[in-house]
Amino acid sequence: MLTISILILLAFVAIRVTLGAVQRYLEARARGRAFSDMIEQGRVEAGVIGAAKWSDSRRTGRVRAKLSARQREAILNARLQMREDFLADHAPGIYQYIIIFLIASVLGLIIETVYTFIMFGVLESRVGFVWGPFSPLYGVGAVALTMILWPLRHLPTWKLFLVSAVVGGVLEQGAGWSMEHFAHAQSWTYLGLPDHITQWVAWRFLIMWGILGVVWCRAIMPEMLFRIGEPTTRRQALVVSLLAAFIVLDACMTVACFWRAGQRFEGVPPQNAFERYVDNHFDDEFMREKFENMKVGEDLPIADR
């Protein structure tokens, strides 16, 4: 789980670097939405643009600006100040958390699928919900780190490291324990490691969780929240609300399916119409094919690492 989380973090960093490069390119030519916002808000002095070198593009017929390094630095500082002002005035809420959950869940599923295929030559279903391309554990991890680290983002790095390590350990322990005790399912185990604390927590991974949290808090979270922003139209709010309702329904149905899978393993028959519906439409064969990386009713093999 943690290896994939690190890969997800690296993917976020790569996306941010790419978007940042595109943004700097646009701003160096006095273009882009962020640049227009800075002009409208009066964050960039008129002299910055007035002193720019303007040239006609023969290929496109457009007039373009070419800014000096000093002018580009002034624009960058203005944008960073605009981001800090936005973050100071807008704490993350349900709108931002839903989007972060969706991005991390889908990205986590893609990376985990590619990783297992490259490393082990195995192409299997790695989803965590019965419907949709989601691996919710990564989405929950991203949301948990954001919720907990947001009010602590100005703390010293070593304190962020400790908090992130605790958050990661609690997340892994809670997820692993819940899957085993409520659905008799296992997805990972650290029992073969010499530094394991529990079946689902090990010291080496607590350290990695600490590093992951620091990078998330310092390099990813501020820019992501700034880019997500606030809903500016009813359509945006409606779409996100519908996605949230679908995720809640998906999560409830997934819990019910795993609950019944555990009950069937213990020989408990369905007690009502809903449980009969679950048994008929989400039987053991469906669960094995849908959640190929999980073991229901049996232990995972323990390997020394």
Side-chain angles (χ1 to χ4, degrees):
M1 174 185 171
L2 185 59
T3 301
I4 308 301
S5 298
I6 295 172
L7 292 176
I8 295 172
L9 185 66
L10 293 177
F12 274 118
V13 172
I15 292 171
R16 182 188 170 183
V17 170
T18 302
L19 293 177
V22 173
Q23 181 173 296
R24 286 192 294 272
Y25 173 84
L26 293 174
E27 290 175 352
R29 286 154 180 78
R31 296 164 58 189
R33 180 178 177 181
F35 183 81
S36 300
D37 291 341
M38 286 187 285
I39 295 296
E40 291 178 2
Q41 297 179 22
R43 294 178 178 273
V44 179
E45 297 180 1
V48 173
I49 304 303
K53 295 180 180 180
W54 297 86
S55 61
D56 295 328
S57 174
R58 296 179 180 178
R59 186 176 62 180
T60 64
R62 296 179 179 178
V63 178
R64 298 185 301 179
K66 185 178 181 180
L67 305 181
S68 67
R70 191 171 183 179
Q71 291 167 328
R72 291 197 299 269
E73 182 180 0
I75 292 174
L76 175 61
N77 291 335
R79 183 184 181 280
L80 291 177
Q81 187 58 53
M82 184 170 65
R83 187 184 76 178
E84 291 306 311
D85 291 344
F86 174 85
L87 296 177
D89 295 336
H90 301 85
I94 186 65
Y95 177 82
Q96 291 78 20
Y97 289 138
I98 292 170
I99 295 176
I100 290 174
F101 176 87
L102 292 171
I103 293 174
S105 296
V106 174
L107 188 60
L109 175 64
I110 294 172
I111 292 177
E112 185 172 358
T113 301
V114 173
Y115 174 81
T116 53
F117 178 74
I118 293 176
M119 297 298 296
F120 308 109
V122 176
L123 186 61
E124 62 182 7
S125 175
R126 313 289 296 185
V127 296
F129 280 166
V130 292
W131 299 315
F134 306 113
S135 186
L137 195 55
Y138 302 113
V140 171
V143 170
L145 285 176
T146 303
M147 293 181 67
I148 294 173
L149 297 182
W150 167 257
L152 308 177
R153 63 191 185 280
H154 299 304
L155 288 179
T157 299
W158 68 270
K159 290 185 179 181
L160 287 177
F161 174 88
L162 293 178
V163 172
S164 301
V166 172
V167 171
V170 171
L171 177 64
E172 288 199 297
Q173 177 68 23
W177 184 89
S178 298
M179 283 193 295
E180 178 170 319
H181 285 77
F182 293 114
H184 301 283
Q186 294 187 26
S187 184
W188 76 93
T189 179
Y190 298 146
L191 289 179
L193 303 181
D195 60 335
H196 77 271
I197 303 173
T198 70
Q199 179 177 349
W200 306 283
V201 181
W203 284 109
R204 70 183 71 181
F205 295 123
L206 290 182
I207 293 173
M208 295 305 299
W209 272 111
I211 297 173
L212 186 150
V214 170
V215 176
W216 178 266
C217 186
R218 296 285 193 240
I220 305 299
M221 181 177 69
E223 186 68 17
M224 174 173 281
L225 291 174
F226 178 60
R227 288 184 179 274
I228 292 174
E230 295 287 335
T232 56
T233 65
R234 289 186 176 181
R235 180 178 299 177
Q236 287 178 318
L238 177 61
V239 169
V240 172
S241 298
L242 291 176
L243 287 172
F246 173 76
I247 290 298
V248 171
L249 177 62
D250 202 356
C252 291
M253 181 57 71
T254 301
V255 171
C257 290
F258 273 104
W259 169 260
R260 278 304 303 156
Q263 292 290 289
R264 289 194 298 270
F265 175 76
E266 295 179 349
V268 179
Q271 303 298 313
N272 50 55
F274 175 73
E275 292 186 354
R276 287 192 292 273
Y277 171 83
V278 172
D279 285 0
N280 291 332
H281 293 83
F282 305 95
D283 56 11
D284 292 338
E285 182 179 357
F286 172 88
M287 298 297 287
R288 284 193 299 268
E289 293 178 355
K290 188 71 174 182
F291 305 100
E292 293 182 89
N293 63 314
M294 295 185 186
K295 300 294 184 182
V296 178
E298 56 182 296
D299 293 331
L300 291 171
I302 297 174
D304 294 330
R305 283 181 282 176

